[in-house]
Amino acid sequence: MVVIAWALPSSLPERFAVHVDMNLDMLESNFSDLTGLLAESSSAQSTAAVEGACAVITGIQRPKPGKLRVRNPVRRSNMRTTYKYPCWKAGRMLQCESKLEMEAYYLLDAFPAVSRISEQAMRIDFEIDGQPMFHVPDVVLNFGRRVVILEIKEDEKAQKRDAQHRTHHLTPALARRGFAYRVLTESLIRRQPRLDNVDWLLRRGRPLVGLGAASEVRALLAGSGGCCSWGELLARNLDREAAQLVLHGKLWVDLGHPVSLESRVFLAEGAE
């Protein structure tokens, strides 16, 4: 069984370029845990490499020409439920092996500092203590100028010895190739009420916003001292436009509390 989260709007181009204007200090309170994970210092990687706990990368395979993935998680022969998520940053459906993966895409899609997302986009062949192995990570993304490889795990599975062993050895080895390797866990993904807020924003802000409507939202906030309530935006039929501007990092709303009519919406510093 395949579950599709939502439908992509017909106006979305095949490859939609995401341009982000944001103030990282304002975003910090909404995504501080994710920022900390993706921007984690490489000191631990260097220590592991010095201690010899480093895999030997024997090859990295990319998708074949004309293909999007090195393998497809969604297949007719699957016995378990799989999902498809319409990622606005990728401009296409992403295939998900679990509901947790789909929820991770909600989070990454709504985080303005992430500019590109691909699923099942590489196969890593490597050796640990002479034993050949391979790994197909769940996600490859761009975080600023950094390319991050993510493995999505339930909290319990992330604590298993084999998963930690692989992470411990692959992290420094991939760092030498210019990649950051991270494990994104269930507790970070499903932090509430952020996940529900992100889901709501993506549903509201998914349609493309014209320049006129976006300018009207920014003019309203600029004329109100840089902030107004979500109810004021809704009263002017600008809530969808505001939701998309939040996703772009041009507006800010506190995702640590349920978004309501009383929620304050701020003009991000430097947004035009």
Side-chain angles (χ1 to χ4, degrees):
M1 176 182 177
V2 179
V3 177
I4 299 178
W6 318 301
L8 281 165
S10 58
S11 59
L12 187 68
E14 182 178 357
R15 290 291 177 186
F16 180 62
V18 180
H19 300 284
V20 175
D21 291 326
M22 60 183 170
N23 179 277
L24 290 177
D25 291 335
M26 296 186 74
L27 290 174
E28 183 68 19
S29 60
N30 283 335
F31 297 101
S32 58
D33 50 357
L34 187 56
T35 298
L37 176 71
L38 300 181
E40 184 181 347
S41 170
S42 60
S43 60
Q45 303 167 9
S46 300
T47 300
V50 168
E51 294 174 351
C54 183
V56 176
I57 305 292
T58 57
I60 295 180
Q61 298 180 28
R62 303 287 186 151
K64 295 179 180 179
K67 301 293 183 181
L68 298 171
R69 314 167 191 89
V70 296
R71 72 180 182 91
N72 293 319
V74 177
R75 298 184 297 272
R76 291 184 179 181
S77 59
N78 284 345
M79 298 300 293
R80 63 179 178 179
T81 301
T82 51
Y83 299 81
K84 289 185 177 182
Y85 169 69
C87 177
W88 72 277
K89 287 179 179 174
R92 62 176 177 84
M93 287 286 187
L94 300 183
Q95 296 187 4
C96 318
E97 292 182 288
S98 66
K99 185 177 180 182
L100 182 63
E101 279 190 20
M102 184 172 69
E103 291 170 339
Y105 292 137
Y106 292 178
L107 188 64
L108 297 172
D109 218 9
F111 184 23
V114 171
S115 59
R116 180 171 298 188
I117 305 171
S118 300
E119 85 283 33
Q120 310 286 325
M122 65 169 59
R123 167 179 161 146
I124 305 165
D125 293 285
F126 61 99
E127 294 181 358
I128 297 178
D129 297 329
Q131 182 178 355
M133 303 178 181
F134 76 90
H135 175 43
V136 180
D138 296 314
V139 189
V140 179
L141 60 83
N142 286 63
F143 176 70
R145 296 183 178 181
R146 171 177 288 196
V147 178
V148 182
I149 299 171
L150 281 183
E151 182 67 9
I152 299 166
K153 289 286 186 188
E154 297 172 358
D155 291 340
E156 183 179 352
K157 291 183 178 179
Q159 295 301 317
K160 288 188 175 181
R161 184 175 179 179
D162 58 343
Q164 292 189 339
H165 181 71
R166 182 178 65 192
T167 300
H168 185 61
H169 285 77
L170 270 183
T171 300
L174 287 168
R176 292 176 175 177
R177 296 289 189 104
F179 301 105
Y181 182 75
R182 303 288 182 264
V183 178
L184 181 59
T185 57
E186 174 186 5
S187 55
L188 190 154
I189 295 167
R190 289 179 169 165
R191 174 180 161 190
Q192 293 290 8
R194 179 177 64 186
L195 183 61
D196 286 345
N197 285 332
V198 159
D199 183 8
W200 183 81
L201 282 171
L202 287 165
R203 291 174 186 269
R204 300 295 294 174
R206 187 168 296 274
L208 297 180
V209 173
L211 293 177
S215 298
E216 188 176 350
V217 173
R218 290 195 289 266
L220 172 63
L221 269 76
S224 304
C227 75
C228 69
S229 71
W230 200 275
E232 291 176 79
L233 292 164
L234 181 61
R236 299 186 181 216
N237 293 320
L238 293 172
D239 57 314
R240 289 186 179 275
E241 289 80 358
Q244 186 177 111
L245 292 172
V246 170
L247 295 173
H248 277 275
K250 297 177 183 294
L251 302 182
W252 184 90
V253 64
D254 184 5
L255 302 182
H257 296 85
V259 177
S260 67
L261 296 178
E262 291 73 34
S263 296
R264 306 302 293 174
V265 182
F266 295 84
L267 188 64
E269 183 179 335
E272 299 177 356

